Amino acid sequence: MKTIRRFSLYLLLAFGTALISITLLSLSEDSSRWYLKILDFPRLQVILGLAICLLFFLIFNKKWNPSSFLFAGGLTTSLALQTYILLPYLPFSSEAAASASNSVDSQKVLSVMVANVYMKNRSVDNLLEIVTEKDPTLFLAMEVNKWWTEQLSPLHERYPHRISYPADNTYGMALYSKLPLDEHQILFFNQDSVPSFRAKVKLADGSVFQLLTLHPVPPKPSEHPDNVGEKEVALMKAGRLIADSSPLPALVMGDLNDVGWSYNSQRFEALSNLHDLRRGRGLYNTFDAHSIWMRWPLDYIYVSKEFKVRKLERLSSFGSDHFPYYAELVFGAVKE
């Protein structure tokens, strides 16, 4: 029995020390070091690991000495830090974007849907079924190549306004809109093969807002465009663009390949003065749809204060490694 307890304690010490180290290293703001940047992602998993480790250490440890107190203190402090970072995204925290009532002018309601299709995925019919069922006002598809844009052509009748930039590097993008997309542009913030879309969108009542779609590269080495060895500045450039442009309300959506509590995402929110719909509503983990355990939110919708949220959903899987992300919004703003 003593041998089992001793072995369990050694295992807990090794596991707990690793989790404490991960917590401390994850506080780094240097996004050029991808191996530190990815530690931002599994905060919920680390919280669970720390809690389990602390519980079993309290059960198995029988001799309390300075080393024991130091280890337990490290676990407790790490657990508090991780929880503090994640807390704003849990449902009982205050909402960053206000909620709307159901009784509103239908002309001010719009719905948006974000879906990373996973370029190698061939389950087009499943995605088309989801789009048809939810019938979003704006639908953004990412990782689309020419094959995908051709397969999504049945949406053309439903969505007369479109911007498309198919690519074979997993950063192709296609935007489908029921509303006019005025002054639309295809921008390249940090990689000359990674597009972003910008346009003015006008609602039926004449209200106008600016729309920006993004898909920055992830913080890891890749056969496709990556940012290894340099800071990923696409989000910062996008934030400054929103801040420096006209005072029109704004909506930003896309697969950000980042989590909302990261340094980059927080800086983007501060620069753009936009709000993450998740804050105060839940994590709505959209990646990885193929894993039950390793999931975190990668797809985002940010809005200015003129938008209110009527509904927020993570939709059903359709064969991609991302779940679609959907929101119904109520808009009240300026007219041209």
Side-chain angles (χ1 to χ4, degrees):
M1 191 66 181
K2 287 184 179 180
T3 304
I4 295 174
R5 193 182 71 200
R6 188 179 296 113
F7 175 77
S8 300
L9 278 172
Y10 286 145
L11 194 62
L12 287 170
L13 285 168
F15 185 49
T17 301
L19 292 175
I20 292 169
S21 301
I22 287 171
T23 299
L24 294 176
L25 290 170
S26 73
L27 301 178
S28 170
E29 297 176 354
D30 186 359
S31 62
S32 65
R33 300 178 186 271
W34 66 269
Y35 47 86
L36 296 178
K37 185 73 181 67
I38 60 173
L39 300 180
D40 260 328
F41 289 65
R43 293 202 183 274
L44 180 59
Q45 289 82 355
V46 173
I47 286 173
L48 294 174
L50 286 165
I52 292 169
C53 195
L54 180 59
L55 175 63
F56 280 96
F57 183 72
L58 294 175
I59 292 172
F60 284 105
N61 183 53
K62 300 301 181 184
K63 295 181 180 180
W64 286 93
N65 52 39
S67 297
S68 299
F69 281 109
L70 182 63
F71 181 65
L75 290 174
T76 304
T77 302
S78 298
L79 186 59
L81 280 169
Q82 294 282 11
T83 303
Y84 175 78
I85 292 169
L86 209 58
L87 192 61
Y89 299 86
L90 302 181
F92 44 78
S93 299
S94 59
E95 297 174 349
S99 293
S101 64
N102 288 325
S103 55
V104 293
D105 182 354
S106 61
Q107 290 189 321
K108 293 184 178 294
V109 176
L110 70 151
S111 53
V112 295
M113 178 176 158
V114 178
N116 182 318
V117 302
Y118 183 57
M119 195 172 70
K120 297 179 181 178
N121 177 27
R122 291 297 178 261
S123 302
V124 180
D125 291 341
N126 293 342
L127 178 58
L128 289 173
E129 184 178 338
I130 293 172
V131 176
T132 301
E133 178 187 348
K134 301 306 291 186
D135 195 28
T137 313
L138 298 165
F139 168 52
L140 178 66
M142 291 160 292
E143 278 202 33
V144 294
N145 54 13
K146 286 187 177 180
W147 184 90
W148 264 98
T149 54
E150 288 171 0
Q151 300 304 308
L152 292 175
S153 60
L155 297 176
H156 291 185
E157 184 176 353
R158 185 185 296 261
Y159 297 99
H161 310 283
R162 301 179 297 276
I163 310 173
S164 181
Y165 190 96
D168 291 321
N169 63 356
T170 73
Y171 288 95
M173 186 179 286
L175 175 65
Y176 301 83
S177 174
K178 294 182 179 182
L179 301 171
L181 301 171
D182 298 332
E183 301 176 27
H184 60 81
Q185 301 170 279
I186 299 178
L187 307 175
F188 299 89
F189 285 118
N190 196 38
Q191 305 274 349
D192 58 11
S193 58
V194 179
S196 294
F197 298 158
R198 186 188 185 195
K200 284 184 179 179
V201 182
K202 182 182 289 186
L203 275 72
D205 70 344
S207 299
V208 178
F209 65 90
Q210 57 177 321
L211 172 69
L212 188 64
T213 68
L214 297 169
H215 189 189
V217 300
K220 66 181 182 67
S222 172
E223 61 181 298
H224 303 295
D226 62 41
N227 62 349
V228 173
E230 63 179 30
K231 291 187 177 182
E232 175 51 51
V233 296
L235 265 183
M236 302 303 104
K237 289 182 177 180
R240 292 187 186 97
L241 179 65
I242 294 291
D244 295 341
S245 60
S246 66
L248 286 176
L251 187 154
V252 174
M253 61 180 180
D255 171 5
L256 300 191
N257 273 319
D258 206 346
V259 285
W261 49 85
S262 75
Y263 174 75
N264 280 351
S265 297
Q266 296 291 303
R267 286 286 297 141
F268 168 73
E269 285 191 56
L271 284 169
S272 64
N273 199 28
L274 299 182
H275 307 296
D276 178 2
L277 302 191
R278 278 186 176 85
R279 289 177 71 101
R281 291 188 169 86
L283 294 179
Y284 294 90
N285 294 328
T286 56
F287 178 91
D288 181 351
H290 297 156
S291 171
I292 296 176
W293 171 240
M294 299 303 284
R295 285 184 180 174
W296 34 75
L298 288 192
D299 303 277
Y300 282 82
I301 300 167
Y302 287 91
V303 296
S304 56
K305 59 181 172 50
E306 291 82 4
F307 291 87
K308 292 186 177 181
V309 184
R310 193 159 77 164
K311 183 183 291 186
L312 191 63
E313 291 182 278
R314 187 189 74 181
L315 304 178
S316 302
S317 173
F318 62 95
S320 171
D321 52 356
H322 287 245
F323 293 97
Y325 187 45
Y326 173 84
E328 286 183 12
L329 305 170
V330 178
F331 177 75
V334 242
K335 295 186 179 181
E336 280 191 329

